[in-house]
Structures are given as structure tokens and as C-alpha cells.
Amino acid sequence: MRTEQAGKDGMSTMNRCVGILATGIAGVALAVVPSTEEASDRGVTYVMGGGGLAGYGCGFADLDADGDPDIVIVIVGAADGRVGIYENDGTGHFADHSLTSGVPLLTNASALALADYDDDGLVDLYLTQWSAPNVLMHNEGGFFFTDVSAFAGVNDNGLSKGACWGDYDGDRWLDLYVCNYAGPTPNRLYRNVGNGTFQSVEGTQGVNDPHLGFQAVWSDYDRDGDVDLYLSNDKGYQKIWGPNQLWRNDAGTLANASSGSGADIALDSMGLACGDFDGNRWPDFYLTNVPGGGGMNNPLLLNQDGKLFGENGLSWGVDNPWVSWGTIFYDFDNNGFLDLYVNNTIDPNTLYLNSGAPTCLEVGAGAAVAGPSSNSYSSAVADVDGDGDLDLLLNNLEDPVALYINHEGDLRGSIRYRVVGVTRNSGAVGACVDTRIGTSWKMRELLAGGNSYLGQNELLVHVGAGSATTADEVVVSWPGGAPTRTLTNLPTDATWTLYPPARLGDADDDGDVDLDDFHAFAACHGLPFAPGCEIMDLDGDADVDDDDFDAFLLIYGLPLADCNDNGTVDLEEILIDPGLDVNGDGVIDACCPADLNLDGDVGFGDILAVIGAWGPCAACPEDLDGSGDVGFGDILAVIGAWGPCG
């Protein structure tokens, strides 16, 4: 049974939640539709072992680049160090590749951080270990990975826990931060050189914290366009150890901004959730703790203005007076506000529903995501079945891995974004997306590792939309300070790909806007806007229309012909009437009559067409000289027009 701990107001967290249950919260249904546990039914059969220090990680990433989240789980003990690798078939059912993945047995496994570090389009695996070399597994495709740890220079041999990816120096190569729990090795910052190797720069950047680091996250807490670093340290209130740390990124130089920020609290700080919990468009931090550690329960650090954080765990009803580890901000019910999930040991896990204002409603049992009362350390969320809400992966020690399929979120809509990077960092890790629905803004960041404890959520931006059918305004900020882009009137209940300005119009990503891209534009022009056409919405108003075509012509890389000299470029006439260009060469067919076989060139094939029609002919296309007969004069006409049309 849970132990209640009274707050300063004399009312326990449990009692506060009971009061809310009786009175209700605006916009939140009192009866929550339970999730269903379906791991085994969906092909995820993995029994967690025991032992080790403070649990093991789990997470989601699209390992085969097919658009759906796959699963990675690390464990020691009963599973003998086998790393779980599960392929999503697109419906939320999984195939087990654990034994054929090429990932070695990790007998001291700890955490995972998943990202495409070499920008080859495939997400790679970084796996930490406790007192054994960490492992970087390069994704070769087909769910097979090769160990490049030694070559890359990231095979740290410390007491490693959490890790996270982020481009701190703005070169669009993802860098890596690793937490080491004291011992002879401090925390590491590995700068990605771009040739598959990394440089250890924690000393020069001043982030070689030697204390009891459990988890860190790259987050642009001051919204200046570059990622900053926040670190969760255990036992920070003991004199020999240090409190939590916050480093501000100043154009690639990390400066310690802890003192006076309110983020440098001292507690048994373990798990770390990062996100805009109170809806003011500044990222907040929630930290797990041992009850009373540092004189508090779990703190909620609300970011006030990009400079100062205030502790609000008690006032929001999320101080959670139980020993807890992992924690996630995610919109469980799709009402547009981030909810809070907490992994507890001994006691069942808790889920706090957020209506946008204090106080939150604890519904872990009612939502059927509380899990068994056992050692619960790590969890992660993703939309595994593609129905628009976030499902929960849970790994409790000595229990089978659980996968909770969300049904409450089905009652409301959502909008999802897949962000494309600028030149490199193809997954745009570190990007920030602000969505306005009505008058309410929702801010989300793309985080690779760091959000939760020892694992990560899928690399897709998810925003609950409630009953709204449209996101009125979407502002995308790419990492590195530039560029930004604003879109309007995006329909909800869809996953949209968000392209940086430099990629617009280039559908095949070959670096040129050419005839192939024109055909892609024409396939979207004038039709209801749908996923797949985002790259041709050049003005960002959720349609592909004549305004977009005007912008397309400005970036078109080939000459704009007007073969019939009527004052309208051929592409525009063809866009209106595709029948004018049957052969698809971008030239009106009537302007190249000698191209009898419609292959875009006048050549031997057209001579054969003349020969095939040899003789008297009334108004046939092979009579190029208009003589009423197909003969030598028409062959001469073909020769005179020899070469490409247009």
C-alpha cells in the first residue's frame, strides 16, 4: 500500500487527488478508458532480469526508416545480456531480431540513446554499461548492426548510466553526452568530428562533472536556438557530491548557469522528464527522488522565462511521495497538455493527467498503466499502432516487458510531425515545434535520449489536438539557430513531414529542382492536401496551388521554355492540361512534331515511324511536310529536327 506523505498544507498528495476526482477537472473525463497490456500478443516477449544498479533502459526508434517505431531494450540477468531488437510491421506487431542483430551480449548493460550519428539515414545504437566498455552499434540496414565503438572513440569504461545526443556546436553532427556515476571516470562529452569518430571534450567545455550522474538531457531551455545541457545528480545534498547542473550554450561554448537558476537543486535526483508542462512555451524539468531526499519529494521545475526555474511539484500535485526512477512527459489523453508518468519501486507506477492548470489527477490504476508493484525503472512512449495516440513500454525488473496500448487517446485527435534536418542531422534532433490550436500554444522538442531514465521516446513530435480539426499555426525551429518556418491550417489526425526552406520543391532530394520535381508538383497541385505533398507547399498554407507554382518556378533549375510563343511558359500550360505533354518531357508536344514516338528526342525511332507509315496519307502525323504522302521529304524533316525536343 502506498505511503502518504503530507505536504505543507497538511493535505497528502493522495487526498488532493481524491478531491479532484470528486470535483472533476475541466476538459478531463473522470472515467479514463483503460489501456490494454499486449506485449506478448504483439510479439514482444522479453523477461527482464534482476541485479545491477538502478535498472536498465528501453526505448523506441525507427531503425529501418519505414515510418514506424521499433523497440530496443537492454537488460542483464535472466536474459544473459541479450539486447532486445524488435521490428514493427506498421500495425504495432513486432518481429524479434535480437539473436540476429549483431549486437553483442552486454553483461553490464545500462542505458540506450538512439540517433543517426553519421547521417546515413539509419538510426544507430549507443548502449552504456556499468563498469564495462560502452558500445556504439552502427546500423547497416536490415536490423543488423556492427560494433564501431573503438574506432569511434566512445567506448568509455566508466560506471555509465544515461546518455543523450545533441548538436551542441552547431555543425549539424550529433554529439554525445554520457553520465558516469562517479568512480575514476567523469561524465563525458564526445564531439562528433564528422568522419565517424569523436573527440572527448568534456574538460575543455567544463562539463566533466565527477559526481553521481544518472541522466542528462540536451534541451534549448532559453529558446535561443541552440541546445543546452541539464544534468541529474544523485545525493546532491551530501557535501561530497554535487547538485544538479545546468549549462547554457553560448554559440558552442557551454557555460555553467546553475547558480541562481533554481535548477541547481540538491536531492537524490535520478530520472528526468523534459517538456513544456505548464504550456508557457518554455521547457520544464521534472526529477524523480527518494521521498524527502534533500528535504523534498519529486520536484517540478517550471521554466519561467528561459532564465529562472521555480519548484512547483506540490502545487501541481505531482510531488509523488514514493521512491521513483523513470519519468516521462507525454500527452496520454490527447487533450493538448503534457501528462506525467512516473516509475515507482515497491509501489505501483503513477500517471498524472494535466488539464493545463493545477492540480493534476492521478489515474495510473484507472488507466491500467500502473504495472505490477515491483522494481520499475524505465519506460518509453511511441505510437506503435499508428492510431494517433501514445502507447507505453515498461520494463520492471524480473517481470516480462509490458506494452500498454492506449485507448483513452482514441477519444481525441492529434497531430504529429516528422522533422527533416538541414543538410545533416537528418532526423532534426534538437528541433523545436510550436503548435497553436485556437489561442493555445503547445511547444515540443525532439530529444534523443535523456527524456525519462536510461531510454528514450520515439523521434517524432506528437501534439494532442482534442476536438480540433486544424492546427492554426505551426512554427518550426531547426537546431543551430536557423532557419525557422511557419505553416498554417494543417489538418489534425495526420503525420506531417516538416521540411526546412532549402529543401522545398526538391522532391527527390538530388540538390536540384528539375523536371522530375515538376512532375511531383503536378501530382499534388489542386488536390486535397495530404501527407506526401508537404515538400511542394512552398508558402506553408496547407495546400499546393497556383501561389506555390509561382514560387516553384522561381527555384526551377532548368530553362523555362515558351515553345509556342504565346507568353505562357510551357510548364504552366502543361500543369493546367497534362494532355499537352503526353511524353512528359516538359515541352508541349505540338512544338516538336518530328518526335513521332514521343520519347522527348528526334532520332532514329522517328525515322522508323516515317518508314512504317510510308505512302499516301491523309492528315497523319508522319506527313511532316504536308505533302499528302509520307516519304523522303518527311525523313528530311526528321533529320532537320534531330536532337532533344525543346
Side-chain angles (χ1 to χ4, degrees):
M1 184 171 181
R2 295 174 179 169
T3 302
E4 298 183 17
Q5 179 169 323
K8 294 180 180 179
D9 58 0
M11 179 182 288
S12 72
T13 300
M14 182 66 75
N15 287 338
R16 288 197 306 276
C17 291
V18 169
I20 297 163
L21 182 62
T23 60
I25 300 177
V28 177
L30 293 182
V32 179
V33 180
S35 300
T36 52
E37 200 292 300
E38 302 181 19
S40 179
D41 292 341
R42 290 176 176 267
V44 183
T45 54
Y46 194 84
V47 177
M48 303 299 291
L53 174 73
Y56 316 99
C58 63
F60 293 98
D62 184 4
L63 299 178
D64 53 354
D66 65 351
D68 52 50
D70 308 300
I71 290 175
V72 181
I73 309 169
V74 296
I75 186 60
V76 299
D80 298 325
R82 173 172 53 89
V83 174
I85 307 286
Y86 294 89
E87 176 187 3
N88 191 333
D89 68 356
T91 70
H93 293 81
F94 295 84
D96 189 350
H97 294 280
S98 305
L99 296 178
T100 58
S101 69
V103 179
L105 299 180
L106 302 181
T107 55
N108 294 67
S110 186
L112 56 87
L114 314 175
D116 180 9
Y117 78 91
D118 60 347
D119 203 51
D120 65 353
L122 294 171
V123 172
D124 309 294
L125 316 180
Y126 187 72
L127 309 170
T128 70
Q129 296 204 84
W130 180 269
S131 195
N134 296 339
V135 177
L136 177 62
M137 303 299 301
H138 182 263
N139 190 340
E140 305 293 345
F143 287 89
F144 187 79
F145 302 82
T146 56
D147 188 345
V148 296
S149 315
F151 171 77
V154 293
N155 53 340
D156 184 9
N157 194 23
L159 305 178
S160 295
K161 297 306 293 179
C164 53
W165 295 96
D167 175 21
Y168 83 90
D169 57 357
D171 63 357
R172 298 197 171 102
W173 291 108
L174 287 176
D175 310 301
L176 176 66
Y177 191 73
V178 181
C179 297
N180 284 313
Y181 194 86
T185 307
N187 292 355
R188 295 291 197 194
L189 173 58
Y190 294 107
R191 178 180 174 268
N192 191 337
V193 178
N195 60 2
T197 67
F198 294 76
Q199 294 176 341
S200 181
V201 297
E202 64 278 351
T204 58
Q205 287 290 338
V207 295
N208 52 338
D209 191 274
H211 301 125
L212 304 180
F214 265 130
Q215 186 63 66
V217 67
W218 295 103
S219 170
D220 186 8
Y221 82 92
D222 55 1
R223 298 298 305 268
D224 66 350
D226 50 29
V227 292
D228 312 293
L229 183 63
Y230 187 60
L231 171 65
S232 173
N233 276 329
D234 191 18
K235 305 190 184 305
Y237 54 88
Q238 296 184 5
K239 290 185 178 180
I240 61 172
W241 304 118
N244 290 2
Q245 298 293 300
L246 177 67
W247 289 278
R248 184 186 65 249
N249 190 341
D250 294 333
T253 298
L254 298 175
N256 198 311
S258 305
S259 180
S261 69
D264 58 338
I265 58 175
L267 65 157
D268 291 314
S269 195
M270 298 174 297
L272 165 61
C274 177
D276 180 17
F277 191 69
D278 59 352
N280 68 350
R281 302 176 72 181
W282 298 100
D284 309 307
F285 302 128
Y286 180 84
L287 301 157
T288 55
N289 190 19
V290 174
M296 67 188 80
N297 294 331
N298 290 1
L300 170 64
L301 302 183
L302 295 182
N303 189 340
Q304 300 172 30
D305 55 5
K307 298 178 182 178
L308 298 174
F309 292 82
E311 204 289 286
N312 289 269
L314 183 64
S315 63
W316 279 75
V318 296
D319 51 330
N320 198 73
W322 304 289
V323 178
S324 49
W325 292 86
T327 180
I328 307 169
F329 286 141
Y330 78 109
D331 192 351
F332 165 77
D333 55 3
N334 273 341
N335 72 342
F337 299 103
L338 291 176
D339 307 303
L340 174 64
Y341 188 76
V342 183
N343 295 78
N344 298 314
T345 59
I346 305 173
D347 295 282
N349 297 342
T350 44
L351 172 63
Y352 297 96
L353 290 189
N354 180 3
S355 67
T359 309
C360 295
L361 177 68
E362 202 289 298
V363 297
V369 295
S373 298
S374 61
N375 291 323
S376 186
Y377 287 96
S378 185
S379 51
V381 294
D383 181 8
V384 301
D385 51 2
D387 64 351
D389 56 28
L390 292 171
D391 310 297
L392 176 72
L393 182 68
L394 174 65
N395 63 347
N396 288 359
L397 295 190
E398 300 179 351
D399 285 325
V401 167
L403 179 61
Y404 295 103
I405 301 300
N406 188 344
H407 303 297
E408 174 67 24
D410 294 340
L411 303 180
R412 299 165 199 89
S414 67
I415 186 167
R416 284 88 59 197
Y417 311 111
R418 182 172 290 107
V419 188
V420 175
V422 179
T423 63
R424 292 190 289 270
N425 184 10
S426 59
V429 171
C432 182
V433 182
D434 292 88
T435 301
R436 180 175 62 82
I437 297 177
T439 60
S440 178
W441 283 95
K442 324 292 179 185
M443 188 279 291
R444 304 288 185 266
E445 289 184 288
L446 263 175
L447 307 175
N451 189 9
S452 184
Y453 175 69
L454 309 185
Q456 75 177 56
N457 305 324
E458 68 173 322
L459 294 171
L460 193 75
V461 175
H462 175 276
V463 179
S467 61
T469 59
T470 302
D472 299 283
E473 187 175 359
V474 178
V475 180
V476 193
S477 303
W478 276 266
T484 62
R485 187 172 180 228
T486 299
L487 304 98
T488 56
N489 302 318
L490 276 179
T492 59
D493 293 322
T495 300
W496 300 104
T497 301
L498 305 181
Y499 293 95
R503 271 294 314 279
L504 294 176
D506 185 8
D508 54 9
D509 193 22
D510 65 354
D512 294 304
V513 178
D514 53 21
L515 186 59
D516 291 335
D517 301 306
F518 168 74
H519 293 311
F521 184 96
C524 294
H525 180 259
L527 298 176
F529 193 61
C533 289
E534 302 96 325
I535 200 164
M536 295 304 173
D537 179 19
L538 277 76
D539 59 4
D541 62 353
D543 60 27
V544 180
D545 59 11
D546 292 344
D547 292 334
D548 298 299
F549 187 64
D550 291 340
F552 181 84
L553 291 180
L554 293 176
I555 59 175
Y556 191 68
L558 299 176
L560 295 173
D562 178 13
C563 70
N564 54 13
D565 293 321
N566 67 350
T568 303
V569 298
D570 294 345
L571 291 185
E572 184 173 351
E573 293 191 68
I574 294 167
L575 183 68
I576 297 170
D577 182 3
L580 296 174
D581 181 21
V582 175
N583 63 0
D585 64 354
V587 178
I588 295 173
D589 295 336
C591 295
C592 194
D595 181 17
L596 297 170
N597 63 355
L598 299 179
D599 65 352
D601 288 281
V602 179
F604 288 108
D606 304 300
I607 289 179
L608 293 176
V610 170
I611 294 172
W614 201 270
C617 179
C620 62
E622 292 82 6
D623 181 16
L624 297 171
D625 61 3
S627 65
D629 287 284
V630 177
F632 288 108
D634 304 301
I635 289 179
L636 292 175
V638 170
I639 294 172
W642 202 269
C645 289

